[in-house]
Every structure is written in structure tokens, then in C-alpha cells.
Amino acid sequence: QQPVQSPQAVILREGEDAVINCSSSKALYSVHWYRQKHGEAPVFLMILLKGGEQKGHEKISASFNEKKQQSSLYLTASQLSYSGTYFCGTEPQTGTASKLTFGTGTRLQVTL
Amino acid sequence: EAQVTQNPRYLITVTGKKLTVTCSQNMNHEYMSWYRQDPGLGLRQIYYSMNVEVTDKGDVPEGYKVSRKEKRNFPLILESPSPNQTSLYFCASSLWGKVNEQFFGPGTRLTVL
């Protein structure tokens, strides 16, 4: 079952902040975040693991609530380059990496 | 340059005509995976491989086959393509381990008539 992302779409003005949420009905081992620009391949943003370990780009921050099986991606002081579709991918707690299940995406548009 | 390559990038074919989409990575990654992307459905995993000769089904494996005879290559085979397999396909690879950032290929847009 795919994780649920919210919102489905958001429009921001440059400099504004946004939060994208990802929720799963299953116990999770990790949550992955990727961004895809139109016509391009998805690009890695961040991984958050159960227990607190994480790896990602410096300008991106995210959280992972293991009890609620929820993750949030925080985009602060947005730039035009942040536009794209954001996908979360979840890995079940069996830890048999990597059967990754992606959400349907959140489309973000940053305008001047 | 570290990369994942896919061929062909675009393909139009007819129902029932067997085809293979190749995927190759030059990063010595153990893990490789195939996804299909359809509007409104996001990325759905077809098959993945944790190493040579080790493959497993993803969420939508019906109608597809894979093989992993070499570490760098992970071809996707459609034995008898049907129109519902018209989609954008991505191959991805990563190192094996906990913090496994996936690198995606450029995508293959397949149309089955």
C-alpha cells in the first residue's frame, strides 16, 4: 500500500516555507525523499531511518515520527529551483532493504 | 562520470512484440531496481535486485521479467507487451546498506499500441 502524501499540490512565492507530509499505515524502517523536475529523473534529497540516523542535503530538513509512521519534509525560504514533484518512499520495518514504496507525489510550484 | 544509463530512451512498439529495456550502472552498486511512473500513481516498483542472481518482486511485477547476471546490468524484459504497460520506466541503483541513496537513470518512455 502506497504512503499518503499531503498536500497533493502547493503554490508558494519565493521565500515562503512549505511542509510536505508522508504517512504510512505500516511500521517503517526508513523514509526516503526525492524530488523530480519535469521531464527529469527523481533526485535524492534525504533518508531518515528508525532510530534517528539520517542522511541528506544540507539545505533540506525532515523529520520522522516512528510511532506515528509519519515523515515531514521542510522547505524553508523556498527558491524557484525548489519547484518540482516531491515523492516520499517508505521501507517496511522488516528491514529487508529495499522494497521501496513511493507515494503519489506532491507538486510544488514556486513563483516570483 | 558516475551514472545509470537506460536504453532505449523512447520506444513505440506493438502488442505482443517482445522487448528489452537495458539498464547499466558504473558505480559498482549491489542494489538495482525498476520502477514505472504513471500520472497520478507516482513511482511503483516492478522488480529489484540485491545482488547478482538475487531478484525479487516489487509491487507491480505482472507482465515483466528481469535478470541480474552481471553486477552492472539489470535488464527489464516484456515478453508480450500490452497497452497497459505504456508508461515511463526508471531504473535505479544504490549501494547495499542502511543509508541507501538511490541514483535514477534518465527514464525510458514506452508506448505499446
Side-chain angles (χ1 to χ4, degrees):
Chain A
Q1 190 172 5
Q2 291 180 277
V4 177
Q5 290 186 232
S6 63
Q8 289 187 318
V10 59
I11 300 175
L12 296 175
R13 294 215 170 165
E14 200 172 24
E16 292 182 336
D17 302 337
V19 179
I20 300 173
N21 300 301
C22 176
S23 179
S24 174
S25 59
K26 298 181 179 180
L28 300 177
Y29 176 73
S30 69
V31 179
H32 302 221
W33 287 96
Y34 288 79
R35 177 172 61 212
Q36 183 180 31
K37 293 184 178 291
H38 183 69
E40 298 180 7
V43 174
F44 168 77
L45 294 176
M46 177 159 290
I47 294 175
L48 304 102
L49 273 68
K50 181 184 175 184
E53 186 176 357
Q54 58 180 257
K55 172 186 174 184
H57 293 289
E58 291 179 1
K59 295 186 177 180
I60 300 288
S61 65
S63 64
F64 178 23
N65 186 323
E66 299 170 29
K67 290 183 180 180
K68 293 185 176 180
Q69 314 306 329
Q70 294 175 348
S71 178
S72 295
L73 184 70
Y74 305 98
L75 302 170
T76 57
S78 59
Q79 305 171 18
L80 293 175
S81 62
Y82 287 11
S83 293
T85 301
Y86 290 77
F87 293 99
C88 72
T90 56
E91 184 182 350
Q93 203 165 47
T94 52
T96 56
S98 286
K99 192 178 186 304
L100 205 57
T101 302
F102 283 95
T104 55
T106 294
R107 188 173 298 178
L108 175 71
Q109 183 180 354
V110 181
T111 63
L112 289 170
Chain B
E1 179 189 354
Q3 60 182 348
V4 179
T5 57
Q6 295 179 225
N7 282 292
R9 294 288 312 279
Y10 303 89
L11 179 61
I12 300 175
T13 189
V14 296
T15 299
K17 186 176 181 181
K18 181 180 179 179
L19 66 92
T20 299
V21 183
T22 64
C23 173
S24 183
Q25 50 91 7
N26 62 2
M27 295 170 278
N28 202 35
H29 286 169
E30 295 87 3
Y31 174 84
M32 297 185 75
S33 180
W34 276 104
Y35 299 90
R36 61 176 290 173
Q37 185 173 29
D38 303 288
L41 297 178
L43 292 156
R44 293 181 292 167
Q45 191 174 48
I46 303 171
Y47 271 95
Y48 63 97
S49 169
M50 291 171 282
N51 215 324
V52 176
E53 302 292 1
V54 181
T55 63
D56 205 351
K57 296 178 180 179
D59 292 318
V60 288
E62 296 79 18
Y64 305 94
K65 286 176 59 176
V66 293
S67 68
R68 187 91 181 273
K69 292 183 170 50
E70 302 170 286
K71 195 172 186 179
R72 63 183 294 127
N73 297 323
F74 189 44
L76 179 69
I77 303 157
L78 285 72
E79 295 268 2
S80 183
S82 62
N84 64 11
Q85 292 178 298
T86 292
S87 187
L88 178 60
Y89 291 87
F90 287 102
C91 178
S93 73
S94 73
L95 289 169
W96 180 254
K98 291 192 303 181
V99 189
N100 49 352
E101 167 188 354
Q102 292 195 27
F103 294 83
F104 282 79
T108 294
R109 186 165 293 280
L110 173 66
T111 301
V112 183
L113 302 174

